Amino acid sequence: MSSVNADAKHTGDDRAKTPGQLTGAVVIVALVSAVSGMLYGYDTGIISGALLQITKDFEIAEAWKQVIAASILLGAVIGALVCSYLSEKRGRKGTLVMLAAVFVIGALWCAFSPNPVVLSLGRLVLGFAVGGATQTAPMYVAELAPPKYRGRLVLCFQIAIGVGIVIATIVGASESVPWRWSIGAAAVPAAIMLGLLLRLPESPRWLIKDGDSDKARDVLNKVRPPAYDVDGELDEMTELTRKEEAAKTRGWAGLRAAWVRPALILGCGIAIFTQLSGIEMIIYYSPTILTDNGFSESVALQVSVALGVSYLVAQLVGLSIIDKVGRRRLTLIMIPGAALSLFVLGTLFATGHSGRDSVPFIIACLVVFMLFNAGGLQLMGWLTGSETYPLAVRPAGTAAQSAALWGTNLVITLTLLTLISGIGVGPAMWLYGLFNVAAWIFVYFRMPDLTGRSLEQIERKLSEGKFRPADFAR
């Protein structure tokens, strides 16, 4: 390694360890990301309880239930891909401003829908905003946050998803709020998000790529504490951008480069397994599955609230320890608990122990699954996308990862009720338990621990072909 590179690496290492403090601007950036995450959790989670009301109002069958639930996911796939281009051309902030407006429009569209067709189209629009936000918001935070706090600030987005899910399940369980009001209420936080965004700066990394280093310096001076080495970070960003502009590895075509492929495999693999692990199956359809198996609507909705609270608690605990335990270690510890709970749950249903006497065991299995899944694998879904990809391909990489996540979610949502009708609840739970086993194997062999590494350090490791778990051992 040359002395220049060695000095740059030393500077990056020291800066990553600088204690510093969070500035107000970075906190507001994290808040905006959190609002977008809350909208994601609320807009996707509210359908769980609302679907029971919608079924009665529109007198729809099982196929329409799946279409209404899944339409937001198709929109999310489209939003993730389109916003990859927009975040590159218009900037991270500009894209998020547009998405906040779409959140407002989509929520109101759904609230005033006269039939299931219009409702599905409205949820498609809402899904565009959800998918675009999941692609853009974590990347925006990651590019503005100091390395020391990046993991926790990006995960504010993930925690906010849990908050949104909890609010959605409580609203649904009340059974007194009409579904049109419960869905349309999402327009309020979306409007708040829009107002906050208008006060925030653009990503300094994007500004450098856009040729405006002076403005990037101004942004860094606003979002870093007074004693922070702004010049050193700016120089590192500028040098990295210069190398990327001279390199052939750029945009979507750059994802095919051999040295980028490990990041793409990791990001998309984690995204797919977060969905195959069964989280959305439980969030979207647990009330439907429980009522179809003899539970009253009231009990099913109360269980849904318990699951939402479990999700949030697990995320908060995970957030508090992730930078101490490490991303990789935490994920490997938590996945087996989620898998075991699904195997036990499947056995209860398969052996006919799903009646009134087994209710406590069924609920316990669902809650245990949620705790282990939400506190482990789910934390990694958006975090890996925000910090894994090189700057020149980051929008394309995060878009591909978001599309993989939402595409998997779409397939699951469109087929789950049909799958359960075909093979039964028990075997379906076993299948998702096996997906968790596969997820553990994938994480063990493919996921390095990026805890405490700057984005530039991560990219340097990737370019050197050192992106296996052993290459990041401390």
Side-chain angles (χ1 to χ4, degrees):
M1 179 183 294
S2 68
S3 60
V4 174
N5 288 338
D7 291 342
K9 183 178 186 301
H10 179 71
T11 300
D13 289 344
D14 289 345
R15 187 158 50 250
K17 297 175 182 177
T18 301
Q21 61 184 22
L22 290 177
T23 60
V26 172
V27 172
I28 296 175
V29 168
L31 179 61
V32 166
S33 176
V35 174
S36 68
M38 188 195 69
L39 287 168
Y40 160 24
Y42 185 86
D43 287 331
T44 55
I46 194 65
I47 200 63
S48 177
L51 204 55
L52 299 177
Q53 295 183 33
I54 292 170
T55 300
K56 295 175 182 177
D57 284 0
F58 290 155
E59 298 180 348
I60 55 177
E62 185 177 277
W64 264 115
K65 293 181 189 179
Q66 293 183 149
V67 171
I68 291 173
S71 55
I72 196 171
L73 307 177
L74 176 60
V77 174
I78 299 170
L81 295 174
V82 171
C83 288
S84 165
Y85 174 82
L86 293 178
S87 66
E88 185 73 5
K89 297 299 180 182
R90 293 185 51 186
R92 288 34 161 169
K93 174 189 170 180
T95 302
L96 286 171
V97 168
M98 179 270 295
L99 289 171
V102 176
F103 267 122
V104 174
I105 294 170
L108 296 177
W109 181 329
C110 291
F112 290 101
S113 298
N115 55 56
V117 175
V118 177
L119 177 59
S120 296
L121 291 174
R123 281 178 60 79
L124 187 73
V125 172
L126 201 55
F128 180 91
V130 169
T134 57
Q135 189 270 335
T136 310
M139 178 170 59
Y140 180 54
V141 177
E143 292 184 352
L144 276 162
K148 175 180 174 61
Y149 298 102
R150 187 184 65 243
R152 278 169 281 183
L153 291 180
V154 171
L155 284 176
C156 285
F157 175 84
Q158 186 76 42
I159 296 299
I161 295 174
V163 173
I165 291 172
V166 169
I167 295 173
T169 55
I170 292 174
V171 171
S174 70
E175 300 184 78
S176 60
V177 181
W179 67 266
R180 295 182 185 278
W181 283 95
S182 63
I183 292 178
V188 176
I192 294 173
M193 173 182 167
L194 178 59
L196 289 174
L197 274 166
L198 296 177
R199 301 168 57 87
L200 290 176
E202 182 55 81
S203 160
R205 286 176 171 85
W206 184 83
L207 288 171
I208 291 174
K209 287 184 66 176
D210 199 46
D212 198 343
S213 297
D214 291 338
K215 194 169 182 179
R217 183 189 301 275
D218 292 340
V219 170
L220 283 175
N221 281 322
K222 292 178 182 178
V223 301
R224 296 290 185 265
Y228 195 84
D229 181 16
V230 170
D231 289 335
E233 184 171 5
L234 186 69
D235 290 344
E236 191 172 1
M237 290 181 186
T238 303
E239 178 63 22
L240 187 59
T241 301
R242 187 181 300 116
K243 290 180 179 178
E244 287 167 344
E245 288 176 348
K248 298 179 180 179
T249 308
R250 295 172 60 86
W252 284 93
L255 293 179
R256 296 195 296 268
W259 71 277
V260 177
R261 196 173 301 133
L264 183 64
I265 292 173
L266 173 63
C268 290
I270 290 292
I272 289 170
F273 279 119
T274 60
Q275 305 308 296
L276 289 180
S277 64
I279 187 73
E280 303 300 351
M281 166 187 68
I282 302 299
I283 291 175
Y284 292 160
Y285 289 133
S286 59
T288 300
I289 293 172
L290 293 174
T291 54
D292 287 348
N293 285 273
F295 285 65
S296 67
E297 285 190 9
S298 178
V299 171
L301 291 172
Q302 289 172 13
V303 171
S304 185
V305 173
L307 294 177
V309 172
S310 299
Y311 183 102
L312 178 58
V313 170
Q315 294 264 294
L316 289 171
V317 173
L319 175 64
S320 67
I321 66 174
I322 188 170
D323 286 330
K324 299 176 183 177
V325 178
R327 291 135 166 80
R328 170 183 160 82
R329 183 184 302 170
L330 180 64
T331 309
L332 291 175
I333 290 172
M334 300 297 279
I335 291 177
L340 182 60
S341 63
L342 287 179
F343 287 132
V344 174
L345 184 62
T347 301
L348 289 172
F349 278 100
T351 58
H353 293 85
S354 56
R356 185 181 301 272
D357 293 341
S358 299
V359 168
F361 300 104
I362 292 173
I363 295 175
C365 286
L366 288 170
V367 170
V368 169
F369 165 80
M370 190 63 77
L371 290 172
F372 279 96
N373 186 270
L377 187 59
Q378 294 306 315
L379 290 172
M380 302 304 117
W382 304 116
L383 184 56
T384 53
S386 68
E387 64 184 12
T388 301
Y389 301 103
L391 180 60
V393 300
R394 190 168 297 149
T398 54
Q401 181 166 337
S402 294
L405 185 148
W406 291 114
T408 307
N409 196 339
L410 175 63
V411 172
I412 292 170
T413 307
L414 279 173
T415 59
L416 181 65
L417 295 180
T418 303
L419 174 69
I420 290 175
S421 297
I423 66 175
V425 177
M429 296 297 172
W430 290 338
L431 176 62
Y432 281 94
L434 290 174
F435 286 146
N436 278 269
V437 174
W440 191 93
I441 295 172
F442 178 84
V443 169
Y444 183 82
F445 287 103
R446 301 293 312 200
M447 181 179 173
D449 195 343
L450 307 181
T451 306
R453 306 279 185 170
S454 72
L455 298 180
E456 288 71 29
Q457 287 175 309
I458 294 170
E459 180 166 344
R460 189 177 296 112
K461 283 280 191 179
L462 189 64
S463 66
E464 293 171 352
K466 299 177 180 179
F467 206 69
R468 290 284 184 171
D471 297 323
F472 283 77
R474 296 184 182 276

